């Protein structure tokens, strides 16, 4: 959105943000770690009582002979995992048995390293900026389709399954171009920017990037991202 609104390459925006993105990922992982530890203390650990499982198996195989009615009753009931606090967790009673797998007909586990290498190569070329990003992405998608789905019918199915996302993004870029073109062509961007220049103190001039960043926090909350990046950001850029 920012690249389309400012008419610059996405690489010029993304590459300088890599340290911030890395710091954000690390912060999320650290926060998730501490939240996980606090949730483990609250819920406890899910464990299976091995003695109860063995006893239930023996009772089931012997038909209840030589056992008390209580043990026969326990054998007839499903064994459920319990938490560290001893509370019964009925939500885990319907877990699939060991050996069940998710049906993923489009998965290619044998090509995982080839796909990883292709993805890493595409990301590296995007960061280096040797070619235009659309060219790099189109080449990467074409190679990925040929490698993972050699049949033309399979490639067509993949394109159809992702067509809705592609069309929505393309329509968004076209609509943004119309909006920014109207704002610029009518002189509204320059007029609003001049108004901002008049009300913003002169001492804030060198720190306008920080001001724009702070404004984006409440504005993207109260309005949509499209409205901010395509309506407000060009004005801030002109300012």
């Amino acid at each position: 959105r920012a690249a389309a609104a400012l008419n610059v390459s996405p690489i010029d925006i993304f590459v300088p943000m890599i340290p911030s993105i890395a710091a954000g990922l690390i912060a999320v992982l650290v926060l998730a770690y501490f939240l996980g530890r606090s949730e483990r203390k609250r819920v406890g650990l899910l464990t299976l009582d091995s003695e109860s499982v063995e006893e239930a198996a023996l009772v089931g195989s012997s038909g209840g002979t030589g056992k008390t009615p209580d043990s026969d009753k326990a054998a007839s009931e499903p064994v459920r995992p319990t938490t560290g606090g001893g509370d019964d967790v009925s939500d885990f009673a319907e877990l699939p048995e060991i050996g069940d797998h998710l049906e993923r007909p489009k998965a290619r586990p044998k090509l995982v390293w080839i796909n990883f290498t292709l993805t890493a190569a595409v990301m590296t070329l995007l960061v280096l900026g040797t070619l235009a990003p659309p060219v790099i992405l189109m080449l990467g998608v074409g190679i990925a389709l040929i490698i993972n789905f050699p049949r033309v019918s399979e490639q067509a199915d993949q394109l159809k399954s992702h067509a809705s996302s592609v069309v929505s993004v393309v329509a968004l870029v076209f609509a943004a171009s119309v909006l920014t073109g109207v704002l610029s062509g009518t002189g509204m961007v320059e007029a609003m920017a001049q108004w901002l220049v008049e009300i913003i103190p002169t001492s804030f001039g060198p720190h306008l990037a920080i001001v724009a960043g702070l404004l984006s926090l409440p504005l993207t909350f109260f309005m949509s991202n499209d409205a901010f990046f395509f309506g407000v950001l060009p004005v801030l850029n002109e300012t």
Side-chain angles (χ1 to χ4, degrees):
R1 290 184 177 92
L6 302 179
N7 194 24
V8 297
S9 172
I11 301 302
D12 297 335
I13 299 177
F14 176 75
V15 173
M17 291 175 61
I18 291 179
S20 301
I21 295 174
L25 290 174
I26 295 173
V28 169
L29 292 176
V30 172
L31 179 62
Y33 172 77
F34 286 106
L35 288 177
R37 287 184 61 89
S38 62
E39 190 70 5
R40 177 181 292 180
K41 292 179 182 178
R42 187 183 71 86
V43 176
L45 293 175
L46 295 174
T47 58
L48 282 174
D49 189 350
S50 58
E51 296 180 358
S52 298
V53 175
E54 294 176 358
E55 181 181 354
L58 291 175
V59 172
S61 61
S62 62
T65 306
K67 299 294 182 180
T68 62
D70 293 337
S71 62
D72 291 338
K73 181 180 179 181
S76 62
E77 295 178 352
V79 179
R80 295 177 177 178
T82 59
T83 62
D87 298 331
D88 179 53
V89 183
S90 58
D91 293 342
F92 289 86
E94 302 299 330
L95 287 175
E97 297 179 359
I98 298 175
D100 292 346
H101 298 284
L102 296 176
E103 185 66 21
R104 299 180 60 196
K106 298 179 181 179
R108 299 292 186 268
K110 295 181 180 180
L111 301 175
V112 60
W113 290 112
I114 297 178
N115 288 319
F116 174 79
T117 304
L118 178 61
T119 305
V122 169
M123 294 299 296
T124 302
L125 291 175
L126 286 174
V127 173
L128 294 177
T130 54
L131 296 173
V135 176
I136 298 174
L137 292 174
M138 290 182 67
L139 290 175
V141 170
I143 296 173
L145 286 174
I146 294 173
I147 293 176
N148 294 275
F149 306 97
R151 297 181 180 178
V152 177
S153 60
E154 295 176 341
Q155 298 173 9
D157 292 338
Q158 290 300 302
L159 293 176
K160 291 177 182 178
S161 63
H162 296 282
S164 59
S165 301
V166 174
V167 170
S168 62
V169 173
V170 172
L172 173 67
V173 173
F174 278 127
S177 302
V178 173
L179 176 62
T180 54
V182 170
L183 291 177
S184 301
T186 57
M188 287 189 287
V189 171
E190 290 80 1
M192 289 185 287
Q194 183 63 35
W195 174 74
L196 283 177
V197 170
E198 293 175 358
I199 65 173
I200 295 177
T202 307
S203 59
F204 282 16
H207 310 290
L208 191 58
I210 299 176
V211 174
L214 294 176
L215 287 176
S216 68
L217 294 174
L219 291 180
T220 54
F221 180 80
F222 290 107
M223 64 175 64
S224 66
N225 288 332
D226 298 334
F228 174 78
F229 282 101
F230 298 135
V232 179
L233 187 58
V235 177
L236 295 176
N237 180 60
E238 182 67 21
T239 304

